[in-house]
Amino acid sequence: MSLFALFYNFVLSIVYILLTPYLFYKARTKKYKDAVPAKFFLKNNPKFNFSGVWFHSCSMGEVRAIKPLIKEFEDSANISVITNTGFDEAKSFSKNVRFLPFEIFLPFWVTKQKVLVVMEAELWYMLFLMAKNKGAKTFLINARISDKSYKSYLRFSFFYKKIFANIDKVFAQSEVDKIRLQELGATNVEVIGNIKLAQLPQKKEKFEKLKTRVIVAASTHENEEELILNSYKKEFGKLIIVPRHPERFEKVFELVQKFAQENSYSFHRFTKQEDFSSDIVLVDKMGILNDIYGISDIAILGGAFANIGGHNPIEPAFFGNVIISGKNIFNQKSLFECIRNYYLIENDELQEYLEKADTLLKPELTKEGSFEPIIKEIKKWL
C-alpha cells in the first residue's frame, strides 16, 4: 500500500480503538446485534469464497434498485451492504451477502474479484483501493453529487481524488453530476440517467382498492407523524402511516393510539388485523409500501418535513398518487426532476393541501434510466 493508505489505515485504527467500548454497547441492542459484530468484529462475516461480480450498496432501497442488475449476473454475484434492511433485502434473493467490514479490515478481508460495482455515494477509500489492488475493474454507478453536499465534497476534494484514482469508470445520473464528479477527480464518466427509473416498481401483495380516499404517510421520521396527525381530519379519507424505521413502530403506535382516542377515530396496527378498515392504520411491517401505494390516492412523503433529505418519489408517482412533500428533498432532488406535478410545501401548509386534494394534479414520470451500459461494461471483464 502507499504511504497515504498506510497513514489512513493508521488513523482509522486509532479511531476504532477509541470507539470499541461504544461498539460493544451498540452490539447489545436489538437493532445492531448482528450488524455491529459483523462489520466491526467480523463475526459471522467471512470473505467471499469465489471471484465474480461484487456489488456493494448501502440500504434496502439501493439493493432493490440494483436487483435486476444483480440478477443479470446471478451465478457470479457477491453482495455487500451497510444496513440491516439492506442485508435482509439482499438475503431475500441471494445467498452470497455480507456486511461490508470497517475499512481497517478490508486489506485482509477483500478477495480477488473480477468486477466491483458500487452504488451511488458509497465512496469508501479502502474498498476501491483493495479491490483494485486485487485485480478488479471498479465501477461507481448511479453517481450523483447533491446541491447540499457539493460544497462538502469540494472541501475534501484532495481525498476524493485519491478515491477516484481507483475507480475505472463512473456512470452518472446527469450532466451536472458528471461535471461535479470530474471536479472531484473522476475520469471516464458516462451519463446514463437514474437507474432507479430503469425498472417499474413491483407489488408483492394485491390489496383491494378501497371505496374511500386513501392517504399514505410514507417513510415518516421523528416528529413527522405528529405533524401529519395534527393536519389530518377524518373527512379527508383514511390515513395509513408507514414509518421509515421499524425500531420506531412502538413509539409511533403510542402516538397514534393517543391521537385516535382523543379524536374518536378508529385505529389499528396492520400486523394485528392485516386490513385497512380503520380511519387510521399503522403499518408495522416492512416491504409492502409499494402495495399500499397501489391502493392510495395521496402520498405524503416523509423525510422532507424533517431535515432528512426526502424519500423516493418515483414509486408513488408510478402508482398515480398525488405527491405532497416537505421542501427538504436535497437527497432526492434528481428523482424529483424526473417527475412532473408534485407539491413541495411548508410544514404548516399540510392541512391546507389535504383540504384541496381534489384540485391537486397527479404526477407524471418524464425521464428514464438504463442498466444496459452498465451490463455491457461488466461483461467486458468476465
Side-chain angles (χ1 to χ4, degrees):
M1 289 193 290
S2 67
L3 287 176
F4 177 83
L6 290 170
F7 175 74
Y8 178 76
N9 232 30
F10 173 75
V11 171
L12 287 186
S13 297
I14 299 298
V15 173
Y16 175 76
I17 292 170
L18 293 174
L19 288 178
T20 296
Y22 176 72
L23 294 172
F24 277 118
Y25 166 74
K26 295 298 286 185
R28 297 174 62 184
T29 64
K30 181 179 180 181
K31 179 179 179 180
Y32 297 108
K33 65 182 179 65
D34 295 322
V36 168
K39 291 188 287 188
F40 294 97
F41 303 103
L42 300 184
K43 182 180 179 181
N44 300 323
N45 199 26
K47 304 174 183 179
F48 292 120
N49 54 20
F50 65 87
S51 176
V53 183
W54 177 6
F55 295 93
H56 174 70
S57 62
C58 179
S59 61
M60 178 175 67
E62 292 180 354
V63 172
R64 284 182 175 177
I66 63 171
K67 183 178 178 180
L69 187 59
I70 296 172
K71 286 291 189 180
E72 181 74 23
F73 301 95
E74 188 170 14
D75 294 337
S76 60
N78 291 310
I79 308 169
S80 63
V81 299
I82 297 293
T83 68
N84 294 325
T85 54
F87 186 86
D88 292 341
E89 180 67 23
K91 287 290 285 185
S92 71
F93 61 86
S94 176
K95 296 179 180 179
N96 303 313
V97 184
R98 308 286 191 272
F99 282 106
L100 183 73
F102 188 53
E103 286 188 274
I104 63 171
F105 298 113
L106 294 182
F108 57 86
W109 188 86
V110 172
T111 58
K112 180 178 176 62
Q113 299 293 318
K114 295 174 183 177
V115 178
L116 170 67
V117 181
V118 176
M119 181 72 166
E120 291 191 359
E122 289 292 287
L123 293 170
W124 302 104
Y125 173 68
M126 295 303 294
L127 171 61
F128 286 103
L129 175 64
M130 298 317 302
K132 189 73 174 169
N133 285 350
K134 296 283 186 176
K137 286 293 178 181
T138 55
F139 306 135
L140 179 66
I141 66 172
N142 219 42
R144 62 181 294 267
I145 305 292
S146 69
D147 294 342
K148 184 173 182 178
S149 61
Y150 182 43
K151 290 183 180 179
S152 296
Y153 276 104
L154 287 178
R155 279 198 295 270
F156 296 96
S157 60
F158 72 94
F159 177 63
Y160 289 106
K161 284 181 169 62
K162 297 284 187 182
I163 296 176
F164 281 110
N166 291 300
I167 301 178
D168 293 309
K169 185 161 187 175
V170 178
F171 294 92
Q173 293 187 22
S174 70
E175 290 294 339
V176 171
D177 293 315
K178 177 178 180 178
I179 293 170
R180 291 175 175 177
L181 289 159
Q182 288 173 330
E183 289 177 349
L184 295 174
T187 57
N188 197 15
V189 183
E190 181 179 350
V191 177
I192 63 169
N194 193 321
I195 64 172
K196 291 180 179 178
L197 301 178
Q199 58 177 325
L200 298 178
Q202 300 293 315
K203 293 193 292 185
K204 295 180 180 178
E205 301 183 35
K206 293 183 179 179
F207 296 132
E208 186 175 345
K209 185 74 175 175
L210 304 180
K211 295 180 180 180
T212 186
R213 176 188 291 147
V214 175
I215 303 165
V216 57
S219 294
T220 54
H221 292 256
E222 188 77 26
N223 299 321
E224 291 186 322
E225 295 93 2
E226 186 173 7
L227 168 68
I228 292 165
L229 289 171
N230 289 335
S231 302
Y232 171 73
K233 296 179 181 178
K234 183 176 180 178
E235 55 263 34
F236 294 161
K238 290 185 181 293
L239 175 62
I240 302 174
I241 299 177
V242 189
R244 176 69 170 182
H245 300 296
E247 63 270 20
R248 296 188 61 245
F249 286 161
E250 293 305 319
K251 184 175 182 178
V252 177
F253 165 70
E254 293 176 3
L255 174 68
V256 181
Q257 184 181 51
K258 180 181 178 182
F259 175 85
Q261 290 173 347
E262 290 176 349
N263 292 275
S264 300
Y265 294 153
S266 58
F267 162 67
H268 73 267
R269 300 176 68 147
F270 182 80
T271 55
K272 299 296 184 183
Q273 199 167 310
E274 298 209 345
D275 63 30
F276 304 100
S277 57
S278 295
D279 299 322
I280 306 175
V281 180
L282 169 63
V283 174
D284 51 350
K285 180 179 179 179
M286 298 295 289
I288 62 170
L289 185 53
N290 278 350
D291 307 303
I292 295 171
Y293 285 142
I295 63 168
S296 298
D297 303 289
I298 300 172
I300 303 171
L301 288 185
F305 296 99
N307 195 32
I308 304 297
H311 286 300
N312 187 343
I314 300 301
E315 292 160 344
F318 174 78
F319 289 107
N321 294 184
V322 170
I323 294 176
I324 301 174
S325 171
K327 294 189 174 182
N328 299 313
I329 61 165
F330 47 86
N331 285 336
Q332 305 295 333
K333 187 175 180 181
S334 63
L335 291 181
F336 276 91
E337 290 172 352
C338 301
I339 299 173
R340 182 186 298 115
N341 302 333
Y342 55 85
Y343 300 91
L344 304 183
I345 66 173
E346 300 291 347
N347 290 16
D348 60 4
E349 295 179 314
L350 182 55
Q351 186 174 95
E352 174 191 342
Y353 273 76
L354 291 175
E355 287 175 343
K356 62 181 182 182
D358 289 337
T359 68
L360 302 181
L361 299 175
K362 290 187 176 183
E364 299 175 14
L365 295 174
T366 60
K367 294 183 180 180
E368 296 180 352
S370 174
F371 287 117
E372 289 306 314
I374 303 172
I375 293 171
K376 182 178 179 181
E377 189 68 33
I378 293 174
K379 286 182 175 179
K380 287 181 182 178
W381 308 103
L382 297 184

